[in-house]
């Protein structure tokens, strides 16, 4: 790959994070999209822990409660981090113990730079001290950010940034405690070797609304599917809910689409909706066990775009220092192989117009040598994962999608696999068995469209990095 070739002459450690965690993407709650800095306190964290249990979230897999930035105040004379005394009067270990008593795991935030993004003490030069401190508090999860540290906003990677993350990774390894490490470096150039550094790695800037979800997550992660898998995951950022009490919000349909797409992307599912005043819509979204099962599928395959009529994009066009582009007026189909079939999300990105989609079920396959593929099939048993209705055996799925981020999500089980409880034989198909993927005339979007092959993006071959 070109990116790997570009690393010649730059040494990156081959030693990985030795914790055995992250066999499936992490699930839980993070304070940032809910509280930001306001409300980060012992009182609210204990209320959140209570609420997570009351809502039954741990039973669905939401195991981590993570405090993001703004908890730390200063360093003591011994170099140990001291939380804000008024917000955390009994200290962080007391909070961790309370979270553990609720059957949850406790997470905390740090930064590889001198300061955190909110101007609190960072971890630069204190990697060993902080790793030992966090472990003494009973921390199970650490998010480590990238503000105020040496870095490069260009592609290829910054050796200084990698070296700092390695220092903290190695310090955690030496403690002997299994701590999930989530790297938040904002760059997709971490992906090719992310598993050597952490259990997940951010691929872009913060997702704050639907427009940033497109710019910094959806269009970026489409190029990175080969790098995520058991032990380490591409992280397109935390979930944004629609509940009024949270610091940031999307519309209800956009937040549901985000959850569907993140599940097909095999992305971390870290709730950012208001936990203490969660709407019934958000609760219904985040407790859909069938959609969660797609994210947590044991095959651990990150989904890809299998059809779209959006403009052709190249990875060079989605650098993180390129500010917002307008969301294109187009549609996409994302698919992910799961143990007994496929998950499919049909998405309308058009801000103003509804879209009619006629999707042939066999188009859930793709033909990328770096990805699992499948044998040809003409029909499948289809289930709508949000209405929870069986739609019967179909050769195609016809839906009308509302504008501005609406979607539909389905489970497809090809009939010839339906009786089998084992992994589909298609998962091991050779390249010679794969059908051609480029057949745009088989998909109709609303009024007749001329879908030119140079403006339709199909993942026929791995995208060059």
């Amino acid at each position: 790959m070109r990116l790997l070739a570009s690393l010649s002459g730059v040494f990156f450690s081959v030693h990985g994070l030795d914790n055995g965690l992250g066999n499936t993407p992490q699930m839980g709650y993070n304070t940032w999209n809910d509280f930001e800095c306001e409300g980060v306190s012992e009182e609210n964290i204990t209320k959140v822990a209570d609420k997570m249990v009351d809502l039954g979230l741990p039973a669905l897999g939401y195991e981590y409660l993570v405090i993001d930035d703004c908890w730390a105040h200063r360093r003591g004379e011994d170099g140990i981090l001291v939380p804000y005394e008024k917000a955390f009067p009994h200290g962080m270990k007391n909070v961790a113990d309370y979270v553990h008593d609720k059957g949850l795991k406790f997470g905390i935030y740090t930064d590889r730079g001198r300061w955190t993004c909110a101007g609190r003490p960072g971890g630069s030069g204190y990697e060993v001290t902080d790793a030992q401190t966090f472990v003494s508090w009973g921390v199970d999860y650490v998010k480590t950010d990238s503000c105020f540290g040496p870095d490069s906003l260009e592609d290829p990677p910054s050796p200084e940034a990698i070296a700092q993350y390695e220092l903290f990774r190695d310090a955690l390894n030496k403690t002997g405690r299994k701590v999930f490490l989530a790297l938040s470096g904002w760059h997709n150039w971490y992906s090719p070797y992310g598993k050597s550094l952490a259990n997940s790695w951010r691929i872009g800037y913060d997702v704050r609304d639907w427009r940033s979800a497109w710019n910094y997550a959806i269009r970026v992660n489409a190029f990175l599917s080969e790098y995520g898998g058991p032990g380490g995951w591409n992280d397109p950022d935390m979930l944004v809910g629609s509940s009024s009490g949270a610091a940031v919000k999307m519309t209800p349909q956009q937040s549901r689409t985000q959850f569907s797409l993140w599940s097909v992307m095999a992305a971390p599912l870290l709730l950012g909706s208001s936990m203490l005043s969660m709407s019934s819509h958000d609760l219904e979204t985040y407790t859909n066990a069938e959609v969660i099962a797609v994210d947590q599928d044991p095959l651990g395959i990150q989904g890809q775009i299998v059809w779209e009529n959006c403009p052709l994009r190249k990875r060079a066009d989605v650098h993180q220092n390129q500010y917002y582009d307008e969301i294109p007026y187009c549609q996409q189909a994302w698919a992910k192989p799961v143990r007994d079939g496929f998950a499919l999300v049909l998405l309308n990105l058009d801000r103003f117009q509804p879209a009619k989609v006629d999707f042939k079920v066999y188009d859930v396959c793709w033909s990328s040598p770096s990805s699992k593929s499948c044998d040809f099939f003409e029909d499948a048993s289809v289930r709508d994962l949000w209405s929870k209705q069986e739609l019967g055996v179909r050769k195609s799925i016809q839906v009308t999608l509302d504008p501005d981020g609406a979607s539909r999500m389905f489970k497809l089980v090809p009939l010839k696999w339906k009786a089998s409880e084992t992994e589909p034989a298609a998962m091991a198909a050779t390249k010679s068995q794969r059908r051609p993927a480029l057949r745009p005339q088989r998909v109709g979007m609303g009024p007749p469209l001329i879908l030119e092959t140079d403006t339709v993006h199909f993942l026929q071959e791995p995208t060059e990095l």
Side-chain angles (χ1 to χ4, degrees), residues 187-200:
H187 298 291
N188 59 45
W189 45 247
Y190 285 104
S191 294
Y193 49 93
K195 285 186 180 180
S196 72
L197 296 173
N199 299 114
S200 69

Side-chain angles (χ1 to χ4, degrees), residues 128-430:
V128 172
T129 298
D130 288 351
Q132 293 174 346
T133 299
F134 295 157
V135 166
S136 73
W137 291 344
V139 167
D140 306 292
Y141 183 113
V142 178
K143 173 183 174 181
T144 176
D145 219 330
S146 202
C147 287
F148 299 102
D151 199 358
S152 168
L153 291 179
E154 303 298 326
D155 225 343
S158 158
E160 296 85 1
I162 299 298
Q164 282 189 318
Y165 280 123
E166 287 177 342
L167 284 172
F168 189 64
R169 174 206 65 192
D170 293 344
L172 279 179
N173 275 340
K174 289 178 180 178
T175 68
R177 182 175 175 84
K178 294 182 181 299
V179 178
F180 192 105
L181 182 57
L183 179 158
S184 185
W186 326 321
H187 298 291
N188 59 45
W189 45 247
Y190 285 104
S191 294
Y193 49 93
K195 285 186 180 180
S196 72
L197 296 173
N199 299 114
S200 69
W201 45 90
R202 280 275 297 280
I203 61 166
Y205 290 147
D206 290 3
V207 170
R208 307 282 288 172
D209 52 23
W210 182 241
R211 196 178 184 193
S212 57
W214 164 255
N215 277 273
Y216 297 150
I218 299 169
R219 70 175 187 159
V220 177
N221 212 14
F223 293 89
L224 305 175
S225 60
E226 64 186 289
Y227 302 115
W233 307 94
N234 291 305
D235 179 5
D237 201 13
M238 297 167 290
L239 297 164
V240 178
S242 63
S243 299
S244 60
V248 295
K249 294 171 283 294
M250 294 182 186
T251 68
Q253 75 172 8
Q254 290 165 354
S255 65
R256 181 158 293 181
T257 289
Q258 185 195 24
F259 193 68
S260 298
L261 281 176
W262 266 227
S263 295
V264 166
M265 289 178 184
L269 299 180
L270 293 174
L271 304 181
S273 180
S274 173
M275 185 59 63
L276 302 183
S277 57
M278 187 178 292
S279 69
S280 59
H281 181 275
D282 282 359
L283 181 61
E284 180 185 29
T285 297
Y286 298 139
T287 57
N288 187 318
E290 294 181 75
V291 178
I292 292 171
V294 171
D295 182 79
Q296 298 289 296
D297 183 78
L299 292 182
I301 299 171
Q302 179 174 320
Q304 299 186 31
I305 299 170
V306 294
W307 182 90
E308 67 177 320
N309 60 359
C310 298
L312 180 67
R313 301 175 305 282
K314 298 180 180 179
R315 184 178 179 276
D317 299 330
V318 294
H319 288 313
Q320 270 62 46
N321 59 340
Q322 178 181 342
Y323 196 59
Y324 286 167
D325 285 346
E326 290 295 330
I327 299 175
Y329 299 101
C330 58
Q331 295 76 40
Q332 294 180 326
W334 289 72
K336 172 185 178 178
V338 294
R339 186 158 186 165
D340 57 347
F342 295 88
L344 169 70
V345 173
L346 302 177
L347 167 64
N348 185 17
L349 290 163
D350 194 311
R351 289 179 58 198
F352 303 108
Q353 297 296 324
K356 294 181 179 179
V357 179
D358 183 2
F359 185 85
K360 301 296 183 183
V361 297
Y362 50 63
D363 280 315
V364 295
C365 300
W366 59 76
S367 56
S368 169
S370 65
S371 302
K372 302 293 184 180
S373 188
C374 65
D375 296 322
F376 179 81
F377 60 89
E378 288 193 349
D379 44 24
S381 177
V382 179
R383 179 173 173 82
D384 188 314
L385 295 188
W386 286 110
S387 70
K388 301 183 180 180
Q389 293 180 330
E390 296 290 347
L391 304 183
V393 176
R394 300 283 188 92
K395 293 183 182 296
S396 64
I397 300 171
Q398 298 89 25
V399 296
T400 298
L401 301 173
D402 290 335
D404 202 21
S407 65
R408 296 281 295 277
M409 186 173 187
F410 304 93
K411 174 77 171 291
L412 279 60
V413 180
L415 291 188
K416 66 177 181 178
W417 302 342
K418 196 170 183 181
S420 174
E421 295 182 357
T422 61
E423 178 182 338
M427 295 295 103
T430 64

